[in-house]
Amino acid sequence: MLRPQNLIPALVAIACLQTTVTMPINPLGPPGASGSLYGTPTLTGPDGETIQSSDSAILPTSSYQLVAGQTDNDKYGVYLDFTSTQNPQPIRGSEGGTDPGPRNYNYDKINSDLFAPPGTDSGDMPNSKWPMGLSHNRLGLQGAGWARQQNDAVLPAATQMAGVDMRLSPHAYRELHWHSANEWSYIINGSVRIQASNENGETFIDDLEAGDVWFFPAGVPHSIQALDEGVEFLLVFDSGSFSEEDTNLVSELFLRNPTAVLAKNLKTDVSAFDALPTGELYIFPGTPAPSNISEQNVTGPAGVIEKSQQYSYHFSQQAPYEVPGGSVKIVDPTTFPIASKFSAALVTVMPGAIRELHWHLDSDEWSFFLQGSGRITAFAAPESSRTFDFNAGDVGYIPVPQSHYIENTGTEPMVYLEILQSVKFTDISVAQWLGLTPPQIVKDTLHLPDQVISSLPKYKQYIVPGSTNLTVTNFTVQG
């Protein structure tokens, strides 16, 4: 029997046994293996040794070079062009420090405003950028094309809209299909023939080229076939969770129903379905469409869809609204009625210019950059902001009602689409808002000089020209 005076030593002995470290046994490795997978317990905690490491985290100044504007006051937030420097560093003004790596230098170079952010960036913000180049590319059959997408799986902030970039080789088809979401499309290059029929049995067919737009309501079945030069187009859907993989395809419709039912429905014999595709076609080669579109103009007793409800809009033929620094042209249900709640602006911003500070009233903004490069700072109340850099092929997403601008940071015109879920394309211009506010209120609130307040515009500028030297900070208009 264990006596009380021996109880404490016994418990201590048990505890020691429980905390005894058992050295792991190295596995039997392949021929040529040596050493141990584990260290020894003596490596835990202080070892009493003085560190004598030659692996320094200090970068010699000779190993990097700061770019123009990098030593300026960080609140200026001028664009830092890292594209031509070999070893960019996360330094802006007196803030930041060197980065010895490991790093992906290519990412740092094209995302300078994330790598060395303006001093005005603050707090935490959801990511507003997704490069389509990072999306999985689904390849079509026999070289017929490809498709890649962005949705909330890769850009969680994008809750209202998702996008697809699709390419069809000459004469290739996007298989007959329909969607659970509304589909809005902008043709990037090439030409295409689209065809559809609605719930009333009315039909539609049209040929479109680069710069044109189409819209198919949810549930309306349609076909898309590239013409002689092939086509690439952008698809935008009014659901952030939309996925191309969930498209309703006619091949799968036939494969997933009993052939006896199909035969009864189409008034034929089951042998008619012996040559059905063995799987979905998705994107596949086709025979050339007849050059005379009337040869494919199939109509039934209901006739064709009336003009005001037709599914195409020849946006390429619409002249842009020219302003100093660029141009804007808008398509929304005002001129394209069937495209319910899809409003879009095609914006061209010249080098050095800026799409003015603004926000939208009732919709998030989904953007796609078609040409050039730019940056956006998004501000969210009460005190958060973040700046993102964009290049051609990138998607931007700004939740309502975050304010933002889009500045051209390149040497060529920047062209991009702004797409809203709204019955009319609208925005609030910051400059116009202040210009239409009594000067006393503006002065008491922001303490701006009288000269600045008196020059505030009472009209919407859309785009404001600037210097192609992106380190310039004085834009005072003389005279």
Side-chain angles (χ1 to χ4, degrees):
M1 182 175 180
L2 189 63
R3 295 179 179 178
Q5 61 267 29
N6 297 328
L7 181 60
I8 292 177
L11 292 174
V12 171
I14 292 171
C16 290
L17 287 172
Q18 289 176 338
T19 58
T20 300
V21 177
T22 301
M23 287 296 295
I25 299 174
N26 284 314
L28 295 176
S34 63
S36 174
L37 290 173
Y38 297 90
T40 66
T42 60
L43 299 179
T44 302
D47 62 2
E49 299 290 332
T50 300
I51 294 177
Q52 297 180 351
S53 173
S54 60
D55 186 14
S56 175
I58 300 174
L59 286 182
T61 55
S62 60
S63 67
Y64 64 89
Q65 184 176 5
L66 300 183
V67 302
Q70 202 163 0
T71 58
D72 292 354
N73 187 320
D74 67 313
K75 301 295 184 185
Y76 294 168
V78 299
Y79 176 69
L80 304 179
D81 185 0
F82 286 160
T83 57
S84 59
T85 187
Q86 294 302 309
N87 188 14
Q89 296 300 317
I91 296 171
R92 193 182 275 271
S94 60
E95 305 301 312
T98 57
D99 183 355
R103 297 161 52 190
N104 185 321
Y105 290 91
N106 291 326
Y107 283 145
D108 297 341
K109 289 180 179 182
I110 63 174
N111 294 287
S112 63
D113 284 296
L114 288 177
F115 191 54
T120 47
D121 278 12
S122 175
D124 195 16
M125 292 280 286
N127 181 39
S128 288
K129 170 184 175 179
W130 179 257
M132 278 291 191
L134 291 180
S135 293
H136 170 76
N137 222 352
R138 180 172 177 180
L139 305 183
L141 301 177
Q142 302 172 44
W146 48 261
R148 52 191 177 182
Q149 68 181 2
Q150 163 276 318
N151 56 22
D152 61 7
V154 295
L155 189 57
T159 57
Q160 283 193 3
M161 287 170 275
V164 175
D165 179 16
M166 185 173 290
R167 159 74 173 160
L168 301 180
S169 301
H171 314 134
Y173 287 104
R174 172 65 170 99
E175 182 183 346
L176 281 163
H177 65 283
W178 73 99
H179 298 292
S180 60
N182 292 311
E183 171 186 309
W184 186 96
S185 179
Y186 176 86
I187 301 175
I188 299 173
N189 52 58
S191 57
V192 67
R193 180 167 294 171
I194 58 174
Q195 185 276 336
S197 59
N198 65 14
E199 66 274 25
N200 300 320
E202 299 167 319
T203 59
F204 168 84
I205 190 168
D206 198 8
D207 288 345
L208 302 175
E209 61 184 332
D212 288 340
V213 169
W214 79 67
F215 177 85
F216 291 121
V220 169
H222 52 280
S223 70
I224 305 168
Q225 183 178 19
L227 297 179
D228 293 346
E229 54 191 358
V231 69
E232 181 179 357
F233 49 87
L234 189 67
L235 300 169
V236 185
F237 297 89
D238 59 354
S239 169
S241 61
F242 174 86
S243 174
E244 266 288 288
E245 301 299 325
D246 296 332
T247 298
N248 299 281
L249 301 174
V250 71
S251 59
E252 290 289 346
L253 169 66
F254 272 66
L255 289 170
R256 305 309 160 199
N257 279 287
T259 53
V261 172
L262 295 175
K264 180 182 292 187
N265 198 95
L266 300 183
K267 299 179 181 180
T268 186
D269 183 75
V270 292
S271 61
F273 308 107
D274 290 347
L276 283 178
T278 57
E280 63 182 53
L281 299 175
Y282 190 66
I283 294 173
F284 66 101
T287 55
S291 57
N292 185 352
I293 193 173
S294 64
E295 296 180 29
Q296 290 188 321
N297 190 12
V298 179
T299 57
V304 300
I305 296 174
E306 63 176 284
K307 179 72 171 177
S308 66
Q309 296 299 302
Q310 291 188 350
Y311 299 138
S312 63
Y313 182 80
H314 292 262
F315 199 32
S316 64
Q317 298 177 28
Q318 178 179 321
Y321 176 65
E322 303 279 356
V323 296
S327 67
V328 182
K329 60 179 186 176
I330 291 171
V331 57
D332 62 25
T334 304
T335 52
F336 192 25
I338 189 64
S340 173
K341 296 199 72 175
F342 269 89
S343 297
L346 180 66
V347 184
T348 299
V349 182
M350 301 307 290
I354 187 172
R355 165 75 165 99
E356 67 172 335
L357 266 168
H358 67 281
W359 68 85
H360 300 287
L361 285 76
D362 60 358
S363 172
D364 296 355
E365 176 185 314
W366 190 96
S367 300
F368 188 81
F369 287 77
L370 296 162
Q371 176 182 300
S373 57
R375 66 172 181 166
I376 295 174
T377 296
F379 160 68
E383 54 184 21
S384 296
S385 66
R386 187 158 296 175
T387 305
F388 300 90
D389 300 288
F390 294 86
N391 290 283
D394 289 347
V395 173
Y397 197 87
I398 309 297
V400 64
Q402 292 180 7
S403 69
H404 54 286
Y405 64 85
I406 303 94
E407 181 183 24
N408 186 336
T409 58
T411 58
E412 63 176 325
M414 177 184 69
V415 183
Y416 73 99
L417 285 164
E418 289 184 34
I419 300 175
L420 311 178
Q421 287 294 295
S422 180
V423 296
K424 187 175 178 62
F425 189 93
T426 59
D427 62 23
I428 294 290
S429 158
V430 171
Q432 182 189 35
W433 168 44
L434 296 178
L436 295 174
T437 301
Q440 173 196 341
I441 298 176
V442 177
K443 188 175 183 65
D444 288 350
T445 304
L446 294 176
H447 308 292
L448 297 176
D450 291 337
Q451 180 184 0
V452 174
I453 295 174
S454 64
S455 65
L456 289 169
K458 293 179 174 58
Y459 49 83
K460 193 170 291 188
Q461 302 174 102
Y462 291 103
I463 299 168
V464 182
S467 173
T468 54
N469 178 356
L470 295 179
T471 63
V472 168
T473 57
N474 187 346
F475 300 95
T476 304
V477 177
Q478 302 298 327

